[in-house]
Amino acid sequence: MSGDERYEESGDDAREPVATGLLGLPDVELRHLRGFVAVADERNFTHAAHRLGIGQPALTRTVRALEEAVGALLLDRSTRHVALTDAGQRLYAELAVLLPRLGEALRAPCRHARLRLGFTSLLPLACAGLSAAFESATGARVRLVRRDTPLAGLDTGDCDVAVVRGEVPRDRQDGHHAVRSKVVAHEARVAVVARSAAGAAAPLARRRVLDWTELADLPLVVNTVTGTTRPELWPAGRRPTLACTSGNFDEWLEAVAAGHGVGVAPESVAQRHTHPGIRFVRLKNAPPVAVHLAIPARGAHPLAAQYYAMTSANWPASA
């Protein structure tokens, strides 16, 4: 639709029902007011719909429902550009004051609230932008909680929402997921080798690139609690031997530095960690690591559900 948006009759389905609310006032929702303000700001239905992230027909119905609720035409669609009627000008002026105040009132209950964001060894950089957008929208604050457990403390109640790398653990009793999760990013894997590696791993410290299949001939150090790489990722006929295991990231890193075996980690580890005893080597043909955001499947905190929902608009596609 163009800027000279006009109503199109297409049966009863084209109209939103308008009900009478409490005390006989029109039953108007925030989306009606925001839709009208967006069109009034942009003076164009196309631009307003894009700004709101909805379709133009839906925006048309929303504004029409508002006009029917208040009993007045708010927009003049007879010109090439949408214009405000006198009634529209009055409502627009009122809403310019009321909507910001209403927004503050709705954020007031969360002003001193805290959302606990759980993670294991490393928090994705994109979480900073998501958390900033969440705090601005809700007034709540995000508190970071590190827990070296498969679900970063989500299953034990130590956090409200969690970043989980790799496969999301299932409930041990019924085999179903105890959490609801979505993949928000994929990270490349890198090999982690000791600078003083001996035996078959000795040449690796001088290599710039390794192929995923080459690691099948080497001993592997595995973080069994929060790690993302296990021998089962390789074909059954050719898998790396298990050199040793660790229960957290720091133990795993020291075991690799001590030369117990080769490690594999997300590329973000190489970007944000340094250790005098190790080198990070780029891997070809390695399966990427899925990064999930997870909340409890039942009884999630309302703020956690909102944080979870905001990932679509606030997590960069390249993260």
Side-chain angles (χ1 to χ4, degrees):
M1 283 180 200
S2 64
D4 60 345
E5 175 71 28
R6 293 181 174 83
Y7 291 140
E8 294 182 2
E9 295 291 345
S10 57
D12 293 339
D13 289 342
R15 294 174 176 268
E16 287 191 1
V18 179
T20 301
L22 189 65
L23 302 178
L25 296 174
D27 195 3
V28 173
E29 300 177 11
L30 273 176
R31 63 187 179 88
H32 295 111
L33 303 180
R34 287 174 176 153
F36 165 70
V37 168
V39 175
D41 284 344
E42 302 290 342
R43 297 296 199 270
N44 184 289
F45 272 81
T46 302
H47 298 161
H50 179 74
R51 167 175 148 183
L52 295 172
I54 62 176
Q56 294 175 27
L59 180 57
T60 299
R61 291 192 295 270
T62 296
V63 174
R64 183 172 186 175
L66 177 62
E67 290 180 318
E68 293 180 358
V70 300
L73 285 176
L74 303 174
L75 300 172
D76 180 5
R77 302 160 177 82
S78 62
T79 62
R80 290 186 58 83
H81 298 284
V82 174
L84 292 170
T85 63
D86 290 342
Q89 288 280 11
R90 289 192 292 272
L91 180 60
Y92 183 54
E94 292 284 351
L95 292 178
V97 176
L98 291 176
L99 284 182
R101 292 182 59 187
L102 180 59
E104 285 298 313
L106 293 176
R107 284 190 289 270
C110 296
R111 192 160 290 140
H112 301 291
R114 293 289 185 272
L115 176 76
R116 298 168 301 166
L117 174 60
F119 67 103
T120 54
S121 58
L122 200 65
L123 196 65
L125 290 174
C127 280
L130 173 60
S131 296
F134 169 81
E135 291 180 346
S136 176
T138 64
R141 307 295 293 177
V142 175
R143 178 189 171 197
L144 302 181
V145 177
R146 175 177 172 174
R147 293 291 182 271
D148 288 323
T149 64
L151 283 171
L154 189 63
D155 53 334
T156 56
D158 290 325
C159 66
D160 306 302
V161 58
V163 175
V164 179
R165 284 184 170 85
E167 185 177 352
V168 177
R170 294 180 180 271
D171 186 272
R172 294 183 178 179
Q173 295 182 352
D174 58 17
H176 291 90
H177 288 299
V179 301
R180 185 157 59 101
S181 65
K182 67 170 75 172
V183 176
V184 293
H186 287 91
E187 297 177 334
R189 282 181 163 93
V190 295
V192 188
V193 300
R195 292 185 181 275
S196 59
L204 302 186
R206 298 187 295 272
R207 296 273 297 274
R208 292 187 177 182
V209 181
L210 288 170
D211 192 275
W212 175 254
T213 58
E214 294 182 74
L215 300 184
D217 301 321
L218 301 170
L220 188 68
V221 179
V222 174
N223 176 352
T224 58
V225 179
T226 61
T228 59
T229 305
R230 291 174 171 80
E232 290 75 21
L233 287 178
W234 282 265
R238 191 183 176 203
R239 289 175 175 169
T241 58
L242 186 62
C244 65
T245 62
S246 63
N248 58 57
F249 175 81
D250 299 311
E251 284 182 5
W252 171 85
L253 196 65
E254 293 300 334
V256 174
H260 296 324
V262 176
V264 178
E267 190 176 31
S268 55
V269 171
Q271 295 172 345
R272 296 165 63 184
H273 279 273
T274 58
H275 190 291
I278 62 171
R279 280 196 68 234
F280 296 102
V281 182
R282 187 166 65 88
L283 274 176
K284 295 191 304 181
N285 302 315
V289 178
V291 181
H292 300 82
L293 195 70
I295 60 175
R298 298 183 182 87
H301 192 287
L303 286 175
Q306 188 163 351
Y307 191 94
Y308 185 87
M310 290 180 67
T311 55
S312 299
N314 295 281
W315 196 286
S318 59

